[in-house]
Amino acid sequence: MASTRLDSASDRIEKILADRNGILHQLEDDPVLINDELREPSKIDTDAILKREMGLSRELREYTALKTVPSLVLEFKTNLHLLEFENSFYSLQTLRKKLRDFSEILSQSYGLQRSVATYVDNMHLDLVNSLYSILNDGFWKIGSDFVSFQEKVAFGNDRVDIDYVDFMASMVSLYFPQGHLDPKSWIISDMILGTMQETVRAKLDFILKEYVKLSGVTNLIKSCIFAQSSEALLEDNNKTLKFRQSSKKGDEKFKETLSSFKNVLQFLTETVVSQDKKILAERLGPSISTELMKSIKANASIIFRPENTHLRDESLAINLILKDLSENSDIWSYNGSELERLFSNSDIPTNLQVDKILQDQLTELRAFFASKNWRILTTITAAEPTKGSSKKTTVRTKRFSSSSKRSIADDWTWEEEAEDNGWDEHVDLDLDEADEDTSSRKSKKETNSEAADDAWDEAWDVDIDDEEEQEKSCGSTDTAPERKVSQLPMKIIQLVDNFRRRCHEMDHAKLDKNHYRYKQSVLETLIMAMAERHFKEDWWQLFLDMKYLLQKDPSLSRFKELTHNYLELNLKSREAIVYKLVCGQLDELSENEMDPSWAITIDQLIPFIQNQILKPLARVGKIDSDRCLTSFLKFLYNDCITDNILQCKIISERNSENLSEFISLVYSKTEISGLNGHTDYRENREKFAIIGKFLPLHLKEIMEMFYNGDFYLFTTDELVQWIVLLFAETPLRRNAIDDIYEIRNANIDG
């Protein structure tokens, strides 16, 4: 249509310019050029005429040049029909250059401009679609379970023969010269319509990914060859690699696996062309070599039988193909020495059989955990010695009002509020589960009569055995308590026994004792790791199971170490949570000291300590329970609360009262009567209680406590640090510090 219009305009212009006499006659009769008065011809504006003539001539040349556009379009279509893709590329490129040169003319008519833009953009899409069709329907055919390749294909209505190597070399050099798609390339950037431009870009990206970098072929082979129930076969004169489901097991499955590896490698080395062989070698070679070694090691008991020499020979043949394949790659290097060394070393096959026995035990353990019956608990009796006195002692804490505390109407008003929230009962975890055979005398700690009316003076009233009775009861044991264990310990014993028995059935002369011991340690470690995943909320049950296991078989030294670490890890992880909660409550007391919220302590901290730490630890057995509980309470009192308070630069009067109430609440909810026989426990609680007691007191009252010997658990520096933290610099504070140093025979540092 555009060509017809241009021809018509050109003919008309040439006809007009050829009739010069007619032009002059028309100019003489033009009323504009005639003088109205004299009726004589006016002077002709020659410059204007020449200028007009030049403009018309320029337009004529431009329209004449536009006649080349239809010829280029026809040239492109002819080349594309003949499957001359390289010529089509250059024809389209030339057409785009011409259109850029004629952009001013095309812009004069919006309809013409849109018509040309749409038509030429479609030519881009036609070219790219033709490339895709050749690749997808001609050279490569990729399905869900097969991949096929033809190096030469007859394509199109005229059945034109196309060579894959030449086609790919031309396409890559034209469209992906840098190994990737350049978004600024003219094949994309010169397009006008945005939607069609994105379609062409996406199609070229797909061609680059799937057929230049061969991601489609790589992903299919990986997903099928490494599947447990898949078999690879060659069909159609090795042009097609097909995968099918297989139900073979044991020896037959291993033979099938070797055959699958061989068929895949044969397809890569014999069917695929050299340029693609390099790409596939780099993408598939490392995975195939790794899977080959894993398969051989997993089936060591099969491949190293004396009668299976042919399997070893076939494995070495596959190894040789892998070595040849790696020579096509600049990135992947494979010399096959690992497999060769495996077959030449007499110790390695034996070690691999040990590895296979280990894997069998882990497989059996996974099946064991898959059944829920293993959680059924069995009651057992486990005698366990205790440390120190077997006589229980009790810590009794009382609260009284005190007139010596600053700005507090009663002693522990927060305790009364806490009681309304269900916190009226102290935690009393009785860790001694046996009756006592001996009795002990009780003695009370002497206190100063002047402080008898203070709550903290009677808050620590400990009944303990005297030294003579403790010496008598030292070394006694609890009556064997009843404990419940799951089915796991007996299963572990069975697995370890199976591992030992099957290893001992092997040739002792070839069995590497160090390797055997190492693998048993690995087995114990993996069993513990797998078991931990199945004990979350009841983590302490796994600890009990492992203790029972060690009682049944004390030789499992690795389990002993892992069990100890397991208990410590659970305790440390919960200590971290407690530390975070304590810091949150202390921040709240500092920021809102006039009306602080106690939600963190009441709703989170105390329930977490009781339900996640104290109660579970009370179930793990007296010796471990006492040790862990004592350690945790020391951490709670000292590291969590006391040390964080000491980090403050100054403590206000109101915040002193808040901190005292906080300590009182934590103190009352962490009492464990079963630990009263432990000196560390008693001293940590007494020191913690004294801190809560003196926080809201005046300096005079604190010094009275000092003179009475109440701070015997505090070092001189600790006591001075508290005095400096609670009170401003005054002569009274200085005198108090001097007295402390003097009485304790310490020198004052300038």
Side-chain angles (χ1 to χ4, degrees), residues 314-327:
E314 187 170 355
S315 299
L316 289 172
I318 296 173
N319 191 54
L320 184 60
I321 298 175
L322 283 170
K323 290 169 63 176
D324 294 339
L325 187 63
S326 70
E327 295 178 358

Side-chain angles (χ1 to χ4, degrees), residues 230-325:
S230 180
E231 177 187 9
L233 301 172
L234 286 175
E235 297 179 352
D236 192 20
N237 294 325
N238 297 344
K239 299 297 183 182
T240 300
L241 182 64
K242 186 175 180 61
F243 299 93
R244 69 180 183 185
Q245 295 295 313
S246 173
S247 58
K248 295 179 181 178
K249 296 181 180 180
D251 293 17
E252 293 300 320
K253 178 59 183 176
F254 179 63
K255 295 176 183 178
E256 180 184 272
T257 300
L258 291 180
S259 177
S260 295
F261 283 134
K262 185 176 181 180
N263 289 335
V264 170
L265 292 174
Q266 188 173 347
F267 180 80
L268 298 182
T269 55
E270 298 179 6
T271 304
V272 177
V273 298
S274 59
Q275 63 190 39
D276 291 344
K277 187 187 302 182
K278 177 180 179 181
I279 297 173
L280 294 175
E282 294 171 354
R283 289 175 170 262
L284 292 173
S287 299
I288 293 177
S289 60
T290 301
E291 289 298 320
L292 175 64
M293 288 301 302
K294 287 173 59 178
S295 180
I296 291 175
K297 291 178 180 180
N299 294 276
S301 58
I302 298 175
I303 196 171
F304 287 106
R305 291 176 190 163
E307 66 272 17
N308 285 338
T309 306
H310 64 287
L311 294 180
R312 294 193 291 275
D313 293 340
E314 187 170 355
S315 299
L316 289 172
I318 296 173
N319 191 54
L320 184 60
I321 298 175
L322 283 170
K323 290 169 63 176
D324 294 339
L325 187 63

Side-chain angles (χ1 to χ4, degrees), residues 305-467:
R305 291 176 190 163
E307 66 272 17
N308 285 338
T309 306
H310 64 287
L311 294 180
R312 294 193 291 275
D313 293 340
E314 187 170 355
S315 299
L316 289 172
I318 296 173
N319 191 54
L320 184 60
I321 298 175
L322 283 170
K323 290 169 63 176
D324 294 339
L325 187 63
S326 70
E327 295 178 358
N328 294 279
S329 172
D330 299 328
I331 300 176
W332 173 54
S333 177
Y334 180 79
N335 56 20
S337 59
E338 183 179 1
L339 183 60
E340 294 170 354
R341 188 168 56 251
L342 177 66
F343 287 161
S344 62
N345 190 329
S346 59
D347 293 336
I348 293 179
T350 305
N351 293 341
L352 287 177
Q353 293 184 54
V354 174
D355 294 349
K356 179 62 169 58
I357 296 172
L358 184 148
Q359 290 297 328
D360 291 343
Q361 309 315 307
L362 297 179
T363 301
E364 187 174 344
L365 182 61
R366 292 188 185 96
F368 170 78
F369 281 128
S371 171
K372 301 302 181 182
N373 294 333
W374 68 270
R375 290 189 176 275
I376 298 176
L377 300 180
T378 302
T379 302
I380 54 98
T381 300
E384 185 176 30
T386 61
K387 293 182 179 180
S389 173
S390 62
K391 177 66 177 178
K392 293 191 293 183
T393 59
T394 305
V395 178
R396 295 191 299 273
T397 304
K398 300 180 181 179
R399 298 282 181 261
F400 299 97
S401 61
S402 174
S403 59
S404 62
K405 295 184 179 180
R406 299 173 291 175
S407 305
I408 301 181
D410 56 80
D411 185 8
W412 294 104
T413 55
W414 178 248
E415 281 297 309
E416 296 175 1
E417 295 177 11
E419 290 174 2
D420 294 336
N421 287 280
W423 295 104
D424 53 317
E425 296 296 332
H426 288 187
V427 179
D428 189 5
L429 300 178
D430 188 0
L431 301 181
D432 289 321
E433 300 181 25
D435 295 334
E436 307 296 337
D437 296 329
T438 62
S439 61
S440 62
R441 297 190 306 272
K442 298 182 179 180
S443 62
K444 293 185 178 180
K445 177 187 174 184
E446 296 182 357
T447 58
N448 190 283
S449 59
E450 294 179 0
D453 60 336
D454 191 283
W456 284 103
D457 287 332
E458 296 189 8
W460 191 256
D461 188 7
V462 183
D463 296 336
I464 60 174
D465 302 327
D466 60 19
E467 295 181 1

Side-chain angles (χ1 to χ4, degrees), residues 61-74:
R61 288 194 301 271
E62 290 174 349
Y63 284 125
T64 302
L66 278 176
K67 293 173 63 177
T68 60
V69 172
S71 63
L72 289 173
V73 172
L74 181 60

Side-chain angles (χ1 to χ4, degrees), residues 111 120 168 241 273 288 310 345 382 545 574 588 596 608 618 748:
V120 178
M168 290 298 294
L241 182 64
V273 298
I288 293 177
H310 64 287
N345 190 329
D545 287 354
R574 283 156 178 78
E588 171 65 21
F608 183 83
I748 300 177

Side-chain angles (χ1 to χ4, degrees), residues 559 595 642:
F559 272 129
D595 186 23
T642 302

Side-chain angles (χ1 to χ4, degrees), residues 514-527:
N514 291 330
H515 183 76
Y516 162 73
R517 285 191 291 268
Y518 167 71
K519 286 301 177 179
Q520 179 173 330
S521 178
V522 171
L523 175 62
E524 295 177 28
T525 303
L526 293 176
I527 289 175

